């Protein structure tokens, strides 16, 4: 029953949030923002989430709970997301949009931490359970792409709110984690942990390339005459591709060390950018989405595993959420702002070339990480 509830939470929460978070660029374009404004708003949206992730893990460990933090976060995300859809430019929109960014960013990481701190039986099935999030995201972006193109954004509100209400019900039914570890709760052990910092910085550089590429894709699709339906299909392919690796990644890391597996991620990102730059064809872009099997799921699984190895026992949630905030959320902020700036002033081709350089830097960092980290499987 516990595993089933986790599956349902992942599916419906990711299905619901994908309708906005998975379509942020067309959503903000629909609201009338230009590329620099869009990139800046996405960066600020993620920055608000970064602040939330830094603080919320501390409160989870301090209060020895995850459920009592996740439950209100789901409720607030539901309300603020509906406000962001229904209101146009103005103070109400901005308040709803940034509060949604603050609490939306906590949902996935809190669910991940809930599993990582559960019984060994649940923890060992993290990849399989997390795969239902990708399934929900895949169908969410696919369906909302067609809904936006044919019916408009007002109908997205019903999908968004309805899905998250199911997630709220499942979270209410799920039993909370048991945090029995004693000791002072402080950020200092993390900030002085060289292994922890080294892992997070490596993942951050790779994530900047990955998130930058995701910001480039909608502009690349628009350049060749595509629309939100094409973007929805592309996002669907990416999310479905993730599922395979999320299920198999744990087994792969029994035979291949996580640090070696991580090298594949920036290489795949570089290939995806090459396709976007050299081949102006929607079907080629669709096919490049299959390479997502080697990008985000590896970053997520390797990141969770390596952070879990090096973090203090009494700071499990804090270390996971802080790490995720640093490499994922900060990666979104930097990647989104840089891509928005590059497209506005240098146009898309030069923007892709520069981000390809970032992807190559990620390859070098992953190789250095592999050489400096003990080569052991899980």
């Amino acid at each position: 029953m516990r595993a089933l509830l986790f599956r349902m939470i992942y599916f419906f929460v990711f299905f619901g949030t994908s309708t906005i978070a998975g379509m942020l660029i067309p959503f903000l374009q629909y609201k009338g923002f230009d590329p620099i404004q869009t990139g800046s708003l996405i960066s600020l949206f993620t920055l608000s989430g970064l602040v939330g992730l830094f603080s919320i893990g501390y409160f989870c460990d301090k209060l020895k709970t995850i459920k009592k933090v996740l439950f209100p976060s789901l409720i607030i995300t539901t309300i603020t997301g509906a406000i962001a859809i229904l209101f146009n430019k103005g103070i109400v929109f901005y308040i709803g949009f940034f509060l949604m960014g603050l609490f939306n960013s906590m949902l996935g990481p809190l669910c991940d931490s809930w599993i990582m701190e559960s019984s060994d039986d649940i923890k060992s099935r993290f990849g399989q359970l997390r795969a239902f999030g990708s399934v929900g995201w895949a169908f969410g972006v696919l369906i909302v792409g067609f809904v936006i193109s044919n019916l408009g954004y007002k109908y997205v509100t019903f999908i968004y709110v309805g899905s998250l209400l199911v997630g709220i019900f499942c979270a209410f039914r799920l039993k909370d984690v048991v945090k029995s570890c004693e000791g002072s709760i402080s950020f200092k052990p993390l900030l002085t942990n060289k292994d922890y910092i080294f892992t997070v910085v490596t993942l951050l550089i790779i994530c900047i390339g990955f998130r930058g590429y995701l910001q480039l894709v909608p502009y690349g699709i628009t350049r060749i005459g595509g629309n939100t339906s094409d973007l929805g299909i592309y996002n669907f392919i990416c999310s479905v591709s993730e599922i395979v690796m999320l299920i198999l990644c744990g087994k792969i890391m029994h035979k291949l060390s996580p640090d070696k597996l991580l090298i594949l991620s920036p290489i795949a990102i570089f290939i995806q950018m090459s396709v976007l730059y050299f081949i102006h064809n929607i079907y080629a872009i669709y096919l490049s989405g299959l390479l997502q099997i080697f990008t985000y799921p590896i970053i997520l699984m390797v990141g969770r595993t390596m952070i879990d190895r090096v973090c203090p026992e009494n700071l499990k949630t804090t270390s996971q959420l802080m790490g995720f905030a640093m490499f994922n959320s900060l990666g979104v902020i930097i990647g989104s702002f840089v891509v928005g700036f590059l497209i506005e002033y240098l146009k898309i081709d030069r923007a892709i070339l520069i981000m390809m350089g970032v992807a190559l830097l990620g390859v070098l960092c992953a190789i250095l990480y592999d050489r400096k980290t003990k080569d052991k499987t899980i």
Side-chain angles (χ1 to χ4, degrees):
M1 184 64 178
R2 189 172 173 82
L4 175 62
L5 287 172
F6 272 123
R7 292 188 184 102
M8 291 182 68
I9 289 173
Y10 270 121
F11 179 85
F12 285 103
V13 168
F14 276 71
F15 184 94
T17 55
S18 71
T19 58
I20 299 179
M23 291 286 190
L24 270 181
I25 290 179
F27 175 69
L28 292 173
Q29 288 174 333
Y30 161 76
K31 295 290 184 180
F33 295 102
D34 62 36
I36 285 188
Q37 290 173 327
T38 296
S40 299
L41 282 171
I42 291 174
S43 295
L44 291 171
F45 176 88
T46 311
L47 180 60
S48 61
L50 182 68
V51 173
L53 286 170
F54 267 115
S55 58
I56 210 68
Y58 172 83
F59 286 112
C60 286
D61 286 324
K62 187 75 174 177
L63 301 174
K64 294 181 170 55
T65 180
I66 290 180
K67 179 177 180 176
K68 292 176 183 177
V69 174
L70 176 63
F71 191 70
S73 298
L74 278 167
I75 294 173
I76 295 172
T77 303
T78 304
I79 296 170
T80 54
I83 290 172
I85 296 172
L86 295 174
F87 287 83
N88 290 321
K89 289 181 180 180
I91 188 66
V92 177
F93 167 77
Y94 289 118
I95 291 173
F97 184 71
F98 291 123
L99 281 177
M100 179 180 61
L102 175 64
F103 289 95
N104 175 76
S105 66
M106 303 175 188
L107 305 183
L110 280 173
C111 292
D112 295 346
S113 295
W114 200 339
I115 291 178
M116 294 299 289
E117 297 180 50
S118 296
S119 63
D120 290 339
D121 176 57
I122 294 294
K123 182 178 176 180
S124 64
R125 298 159 69 181
F126 171 59
Q128 299 173 29
L129 298 174
R130 178 59 178 74
F132 279 82
S134 292
V135 174
W137 189 275
F139 283 100
V141 292
L142 180 65
I143 292 171
V144 79
F146 286 105
V147 170
I148 292 169
S149 295
N150 297 292
L151 300 175
Y153 266 98
K154 62 179 180 180
Y155 292 96
V156 174
T157 312
F158 300 106
I159 300 173
Y160 179 85
V161 173
S163 300
L164 287 179
L165 285 176
V166 176
I168 291 170
F169 174 77
C170 294
F172 179 76
R173 294 286 306 277
L174 197 57
K175 185 179 178 181
D176 204 353
V177 295
V178 178
K179 290 175 174 282
S180 57
C181 296
E182 301 296 332
S184 61
I185 306 298
S186 170
F187 292 112
K188 187 176 179 180
L190 295 179
L191 300 177
T192 57
N193 187 328
K194 293 181 180 179
D195 291 333
Y196 179 80
I197 294 172
F198 185 43
T199 300
V200 170
V201 170
T202 301
L203 292 166
L204 169 62
I205 294 171
I206 295 171
C207 237
I208 290 172
F210 170 66
R211 293 299 178 179
Y213 168 70
L214 292 184
Q215 298 303 315
L216 287 167
V217 170
Y219 295 107
I221 289 177
T222 301
R223 175 176 63 175
I224 58 176
N227 55 29
T228 53
S229 294
D230 296 311
L231 180 60
I233 293 171
Y234 173 81
N235 287 333
F236 175 80
I237 292 170
C238 288
S239 298
V240 170
S241 301
E242 289 181 4
I243 297 168
V244 178
M245 183 58 75
L246 286 170
I247 294 172
L248 298 178
C249 196
K251 295 181 180 179
I252 294 172
M253 286 191 288
H254 282 298
K255 298 182 179 180
L256 185 68
S257 64
D259 41 301
K260 280 189 167 48
L261 187 61
L262 185 63
I263 298 173
L264 294 175
S265 186
I267 293 175
I269 295 167
F270 178 81
I271 295 172
Q272 286 179 311
M273 290 187 187
S274 299
V275 171
L276 198 62
Y277 182 80
F278 290 108
I279 307 176
H280 298 175
N281 181 280
I282 190 62
Y283 296 106
I285 295 175
Y286 287 163
L287 287 174
S288 71
L290 295 172
L291 290 173
Q292 186 102 341
I293 190 174
F294 299 114
T295 58
Y296 187 63
I298 290 179
I299 296 171
L300 177 68
M301 294 292 288
V302 169
R304 294 294 186 196
T305 301
M306 299 303 289
I307 288 173
D308 189 62
R309 281 180 176 178
V310 300
C311 69
E313 192 65 28
N314 66 322
L315 292 172
K316 287 289 187 181
T317 309
T318 302
S319 59
Q320 288 285 356
L321 268 66
M322 271 189 64
F324 188 83
M326 288 299 294
F327 73 75
N328 184 73
S329 300
L330 195 56
V332 174
I333 292 170
I334 298 172
S336 299
F337 181 78
V338 169
V339 167
F341 178 85
L342 292 174
I343 289 178
E344 183 71 16
Y345 290 102
L346 299 179
K347 305 308 177 185
I348 187 168
D349 284 333
R350 290 183 180 178
I352 296 172
L353 283 174
I354 291 172
M355 295 309 296
M356 286 170 71
V358 175
L360 288 177
L361 178 61
V363 175
L364 294 175
C365 290
I367 293 172
L368 179 63
Y369 180 80
D370 176 47
R371 291 183 177 181
K372 289 195 172 184
T373 305
K374 290 184 179 179
D375 190 24
K376 60 179 181 179
T377 58
I378 63 173

